[in-house]
Amino acid sequence: MAKINNNYLKLPGSYLFSTIAKKVKTYGEANPDKEIIRLGIGDVTQPIAPDIIKALHAAVDEMGNADTFRGYAPDLGYDFLRHAIAEFDFKSRGCDISEDEIFVSDGAKCDCGNIQEIFSTDNVIAVCDPVYPVYVDSNVMAGRTGKYDDELKQFKGVIYMPCTKENDFVPEFPSEVPDLIYLCFPNNPTGTVIKKNQLQAWVDYALKNGSVILYDAAYEAYISEEDVPHSIYECEGAYDCAIELRSFSKTAGFTGLRLGYTVIPKRLKVDGTALWDLWARRHGTKYNGAPYIVQRAGEAVYSEEGRKQITAQIAYYMENAKLILNGLKDLGYEAFGGVNAPYIWLHTPDGMTSWEFFDHLLEKANVVGTPGVGFGPHGENYFRLTAFGSRENTIKAMERFKAL
Ligand SMILES: *Cc1c(COP(=O)(O)O)cnc(C)c1O
């Protein structure tokens, strides 16, 4: 008789974004005359840039010609893409990452969800609180955690590291030493970044304790300030303790095309075993690559024109972020992020809970955001707004904030 994986039952039923969708639908149906503006979803809105579209078209044509047709992609991804990644994302920043330490995939969410497979289920994980939910959920499914505690709104057996305005949303070292440490900077949902010396301290901590850092740099392209590392490999010793996850989703609008990559330095060892070997083995059995045409599109992201075009897209979103951040501050709100990330993390006014503020904003301003508590218990009394809307809607939303 077949048996299910009981760990899946530990995950609470209602997913944050489906609850939001239900609430918005109910409100919209009851108030059909109201124009709802969505500043809640973490998805891009700008179309794929022209030079990337050109590369896609060319690759599609190649697939229809017997001489240039491609079948299964190489396990680690095509050389042309891994070469461009190594040059532009690492060598140009002084990081000694070679092409064969880069594993191309169909996105960072998939890699975040899958990377835990190469570690023992005995490992204790540490995550920031609040945080992108994928890290914890994938470890729950794998049986690396205890049950969900309804009162604490946390899983047992997980080390949660509070990120609050008191610590500038950068976690402190936990009292119990974790085996696996998930860090994400620039952060979703808080929009905050970590300075190089602070990240170096985490690398030193991991080296001292034999922990592995899983570093999610999906928003690296949004960094605007100096002294903020774009890659964890800018820190000394990171080659021996860190895996980095990257995505083309927020950088170049690939949320629908699907492309990302994971970096595992060859010298990174746990218990004498190179993690590179384990992940390569996984790639040999589970098809985790992006299609040829998408990898060609990824290559075009690094072309001179491609880079210009995506830089302009990011600047567009960051102009929205500035409008939101400054608009909120002018109105007396306490707001964070929005300078090195497309997220603004707002402290709810008048002691409102995250969900109270969600309802208030939906009903009074017809603006949708994301309740901070959905990202973890320390997200309570916070609220996330995103810069991925159109300029017009962002301006309109801020006018409605004024009228609140
Ligand atoms: C959006 C996002 C990703 C990217 O996921 P993809 O699967 O590549 O689209 C990864 N990490 C975080 C924190 C994100 O917000």
Side-chain angles (χ1 to χ4, degrees):
M1 199 177 82
K3 293 194 182 90
I4 59 156
N5 177 351
N6 273 311
N7 294 312
Y8 277 59
L9 301 180
K10 292 179 190 163
L11 289 168
S14 181
Y15 182 56
L16 171 68
F17 288 101
S18 57
T19 310
I20 293 172
K22 251 183 249 156
K23 278 183 178 263
V24 174
K25 186 163 177 264
T26 307
Y27 180 83
E29 280 167 2
N31 302 277
D33 56 316
K34 297 278 177 20
E35 185 212 16
I36 294 171
I37 297 178
R38 288 178 169 77
L39 294 186
I41 298 164
D43 196 356
V44 294
T45 52
Q46 302 251 310
I48 300 289
D51 275 64
I52 302 171
I53 290 293
K54 255 188 243 163
L56 276 169
H57 279 298
V60 167
D61 288 339
E62 281 183 66
M63 291 302 255
N65 182 327
D67 295 333
T68 48
F69 165 79
R70 312 277 185 135
Y72 287 119
D75 287 348
L76 272 61
Y78 282 99
D79 288 347
F80 58 77
L81 178 57
R82 292 188 298 127
H83 178 73
I85 291 169
E87 287 299 315
F88 286 103
D89 289 344
F90 297 102
K91 296 232 164 71
S92 72
R93 297 202 177 274
C95 304
D96 185 19
I97 292 295
S98 65
E99 293 168 37
D100 55 1
E101 293 172 314
I102 293 160
F103 296 79
V104 172
S105 77
D106 53 346
K109 183 175 188 175
C110 322
D111 283 349
C112 285
N114 293 330
I115 194 75
Q116 47 77 27
E117 283 184 15
I118 64 172
F119 296 97
S120 161
T121 48
D122 293 343
N123 284 327
V124 173
I125 68 160
V127 293
C128 292
D129 169 21
V131 81
Y132 182 57
V134 175
Y135 314 141
V136 173
D137 289 0
S138 53
N139 280 285
V140 171
M141 291 164 169
R144 208 169 277 111
T145 73
K147 290 212 173 93
Y148 187 70
D149 183 326
D150 275 319
E151 226 151 85
L152 292 176
K153 296 195 163 56
Q154 292 184 338
F155 284 93
K156 295 200 171 82
V158 173
I159 300 172
Y160 290 85
M161 306 182 290
C163 295
T164 60
K165 64 178 179 178
E166 284 73 28
N167 60 20
D168 289 327
F169 306 99
V170 174
E172 282 136 39
F173 301 128
S175 43
E176 182 195 347
V177 174
D179 303 305
L180 303 175
I181 302 163
Y182 286 86
L183 294 178
C184 172
F185 292 103
N187 189 263
N188 175 12
T190 64
T192 47
V193 286
I194 194 165
K195 296 271 187 225
K196 190 159 171 197
N197 63 333
Q198 292 173 302
L199 186 58
Q200 182 66 56
W202 272 101
V203 168
D204 295 343
Y205 175 89
L207 288 171
K208 188 179 80 191
N209 294 303
S211 314
V212 172
I213 297 176
L214 302 159
Y215 194 71
D216 185 343
Y219 296 95
E220 166 276 331
Y222 288 83
I223 294 171
S224 68
E225 289 181 323
E226 294 288 313
D227 202 31
V228 175
H230 288 247
S231 165
I232 195 166
Y233 303 113
E234 289 174 42
C235 295
E236 219 169 297
Y239 304 108
D240 292 306
C241 69
I243 291 174
E244 184 163 298
L245 303 133
R246 293 272 192 116
S247 170
F248 288 70
S249 283
K250 316 304 174 2
T251 304
F254 279 46
T255 51
L257 275 180
R258 311 302 306 144
L259 189 65
Y261 64 87
T262 291
V263 182
I264 306 190
K266 288 201 158 160
R267 52 190 270 192
L268 172 51
K269 290 197 173 130
V270 168
D271 260 353
T273 300
L275 295 182
W276 191 98
D277 287 332
L278 300 188
W279 192 238
R281 202 167 294 185
R282 181 188 181 284
H283 271 242
T285 58
K286 301 199 178 179
Y287 190 65
N288 201 29
Y292 172 69
I293 58 171
V294 177
Q295 295 194 43
R296 279 291 184 202
E299 181 189 29
V301 169
Y302 296 98
S303 68
E304 206 176 316
E305 281 308 304
R307 275 185 292 152
K308 262 190 224 154
Q309 291 160 7
I310 66 159
T311 303
Q313 289 191 344
I314 290 168
Y316 177 90
Y317 293 134
M318 290 313 286
E319 187 61 33
N320 287 347
K322 204 162 142 189
L323 287 170
I324 299 171
L325 183 67
N326 294 344
L328 290 172
K329 284 185 171 169
D330 287 347
L331 293 170
Y333 288 92
E334 248 188 311
F336 308 90
V339 176
N340 299 290
Y343 297 119
I344 292 88
W345 190 238
L346 148 75
H347 199 258
T348 57
D350 309 323
M352 272 190 239
T353 67
S354 294
W355 279 110
E356 281 167 0
F357 189 73
F358 176 91
D359 292 333
H360 174 73
L361 199 60
L362 176 61
E363 285 159 21
K364 298 284 166 13
N366 306 140
V367 171
V368 180
T370 313
V373 72
F375 299 100
H378 279 88
E380 184 56 287
N381 301 113
Y382 283 93
F383 199 77
R384 191 190 75 174
L385 293 170
T386 76
F388 290 130
S390 66
R391 179 82 80 253
E392 188 194 351
N393 278 354
T394 303
I395 291 170
K396 224 189 259 178
M398 292 324 294
E399 277 163 8
R400 294 186 192 173
F401 261 95
K402 243 182 243 174
L404 266 182

